[in-house]
Amino acid sequence: MICLGIESSAHTFGISIVSDSDGKCNILANERHSVTTKEGGLIPRELAVHHQEYAKPILESALKKAGVKLEDIDVISFSQGPGIAPALQAGAITARVLALKYGKPLLGVNHCVGHIEIGKALSGSRDPIVVYVSGANTQIIGYEAGKYRVYGETLDIGLGNLLDSFGRALGMGFPAGPTLDKIYFEKKNYVPLPYTVKGMDLAFAGLQTAAEQKIGKVPKEDLVYSLLHNAFAMVTEVSERALAHTEKTGLLLTGGVAASKALREMLQRMCDARGCKFFVPPFEACVDSGLLPAWLGLIEHKAGVRMKLEDTAVNQRQRTDQVQVTWA
Ligand code: MG
C-alpha cells in the first residue's frame, strides 16, 4: 500500500510518500520546505501563503523522487490538527483537491500521534514513554488501553517556543534552538532561574520571563546555559516519573527539539541510570514532515479507518488523547 501524506501544521510544508512491507515503513519520498525568519517569530497568514506557494513544487518533486504517479497512490492523508489554523487549512485543501480529483480515500490524522508512530516505526521502539517536544507541543505520553495518554504536559508554552522566544529576545533568528544548544556546551556558570514542575506538568513562561529580565545584567552565555539546563531538567524529571509509574522500559524522544544534543544527553543519562532503552529516530522523522501523516494515514487506513469529506475539517486544538488507537 502507498500513502501520500501532507504536513502543514506550523512552519513546514511537507509531502511524503511511504509504502509498507512486513509492517515496516519504506520512505519513497520526503520533500519539505520550512519558513525561517531573520528576526524570529512566525505570522499565521504568512505561513498559509508559504504553504500554498510550495504545495505544487513539493508535490511534483515528491512524485518524481518516489517514481510514482498520483494514480498509483492508495490513500491520501494530511495533518488535521493540532496546529495553526491557516497553516493547517493550506494542507487540508491540497489533500482534498487531490483526493477528489483522483478519487482516492482521504484521511485527516493527528499530528502528534503522527510523530509518535513514525518515531516508533523508524527507531524500532515498541511501547515507549514518548517525550514529544516541539515548538508548540511538550507532552510526556504513553499508550494505555486504546489511547495515547498524556501523563504530563506544558501548562503554557511549548519547549521549542521557549527556546525560540528567548532566542528572539537575544536577537537570534528563527529557529534559535541550534544556536542556543551550541552555547550550552561552552559550559558556563549557572544563574538561578525558576524551575516549575507541577505534579506531572511543566510551565515554561515564568522561566522565560525571569531569564529575559536578566538579559544585559549577567553574561548572555550563562543565561542560555541556565535556561536550557532548567528547562531540560524539568522535562527529564517528569519523563523519569512516567517511566517509574508505568514500568515501561523504553523512552522515545521526538519533535523538533529532539535535535538538541543537550536534551538528548540529559535524557540518555537518566535512561542509563535506570536501565531503560533510549530511542531517538532519525532527524527527518523528529521534525515536522509529510512522514508523520503519511505513515499514520497508511496504518490507520489498513486498520479500516475511513473518513467522509465532511469529517476532514481541520481541528487546531485536537489532542493526542482524543484519538482512538484502532491500529495497535
Ligand atoms: Mg510537530
Side-chain angles (χ1 to χ4, degrees):
M1 178 175 287
I2 302 178
C3 181
L4 180 146
I6 302 175
E7 162 61 37
S8 73
S9 65
H11 46 64
T12 299
F13 185 85
I15 294 185
S16 299
I17 301 170
V18 302
S19 68
D20 67 326
S21 51
D22 302 330
K24 287 214 171 85
C25 172
N26 305 317
I27 302 169
L28 305 179
N30 182 26
E31 299 294 293
R32 62 190 157 89
H33 191 273
S34 301
V35 175
T36 56
T37 57
K38 271 200 188 103
E39 63 287 354
L42 297 171
I43 298 168
R45 86 186 121 73
E46 289 180 3
L47 297 179
V49 171
H50 168 270
H51 296 348
Q52 281 156 8
E53 250 174 46
Y54 277 88
K56 193 164 178 272
I58 293 275
L59 173 66
E60 285 169 353
S61 76
L63 291 168
K64 197 173 163 207
K65 277 244 166 94
V68 298
K69 295 196 183 74
L70 276 158
E71 287 80 2
D72 307 326
I73 304 289
D74 296 300
V75 54
I76 291 172
S77 62
F78 68 99
S79 291
Q80 192 170 16
I84 299 166
L88 285 167
Q89 286 285 7
I93 291 165
T94 308
R96 278 189 214 116
V97 167
L98 293 177
L100 286 172
K101 187 170 175 200
Y102 292 90
K104 302 294 179 184
L106 176 64
L107 274 183
V109 301
N110 183 277
H111 174 86
C112 310
V113 176
H115 268 293
I116 298 171
E117 291 297 349
I118 190 69
K120 280 166 67 180
L122 297 186
S123 71
S125 97
R126 287 190 168 249
D127 180 26
I129 287 294
V130 181
V131 180
Y132 168 36
V133 280
S134 66
N137 298 291
T138 300
Q139 294 184 326
I140 314 300
I141 305 159
Y143 178 81
E144 177 76 49
K147 279 183 176 173
Y148 282 110
R149 313 284 167 176
V150 179
Y151 294 126
E153 64 190 313
T154 178
L155 297 171
D156 44 44
I157 56 174
L159 180 59
N161 193 323
L162 166 74
L163 303 180
D164 287 322
S165 300
F166 184 63
R168 181 164 57 166
L170 290 175
M172 295 171 189
F174 173 87
T179 315
L180 296 172
D181 214 52
K182 234 171 119 191
I183 296 173
Y184 178 88
F185 284 100
E186 290 164 11
K187 289 293 175 219
K188 298 297 169 183
N189 299 309
Y190 179 75
V191 181
L193 288 173
Y195 181 104
T196 317
V197 173
K198 300 181 178 185
M200 286 293 285
D201 293 327
L202 312 158
F204 296 112
L207 172 59
Q208 182 195 339
T209 306
E212 284 182 4
Q213 283 169 348
K214 286 193 160 76
I215 292 175
K217 293 174 188 154
V218 297
K220 181 177 96 176
E221 291 76 10
D222 290 354
L223 261 187
V224 169
Y225 170 77
S226 308
L227 177 121
L228 264 61
H229 185 82
N230 276 22
F232 294 168
M234 286 159 56
V235 171
T236 305
E237 179 192 326
V238 175
S239 305
E240 178 163 31
R241 213 172 305 133
L243 284 169
H245 177 72
T246 59
E247 297 184 342
K248 292 189 194 282
T249 53
L251 189 80
L252 173 70
L253 174 65
T254 191
V257 189
S260 166
K261 212 175 138 216
L263 177 60
R264 272 187 271 156
E265 271 194 14
M266 210 182 276
L267 288 170
Q268 176 81 64
R269 226 176 302 154
M270 179 272 284
C271 287
D272 288 349
R274 51 182 305 117
C276 166
K277 267 196 157 178
F278 182 50
F279 299 91
V280 187
F283 182 66
E284 77 262 21
C286 290
V287 292
D288 287 355
S289 76
L291 286 176
L292 284 52
W295 180 241
L296 182 53
L298 187 148
I299 56 181
E300 282 198 24
H301 187 81
K302 277 202 137 178
V305 180
R306 300 291 182 270
M307 270 185 182
K308 294 194 190 110
L309 195 64
E310 54 265 38
D311 301 327
T312 63
V314 302
N315 181 352
Q316 58 179 323
R317 300 197 192 283
Q318 191 183 64
R319 281 180 59 83
T320 309
D321 49 12
Q322 285 174 327
V323 179
Q324 198 66 45
V325 177
T326 54
W327 55 88

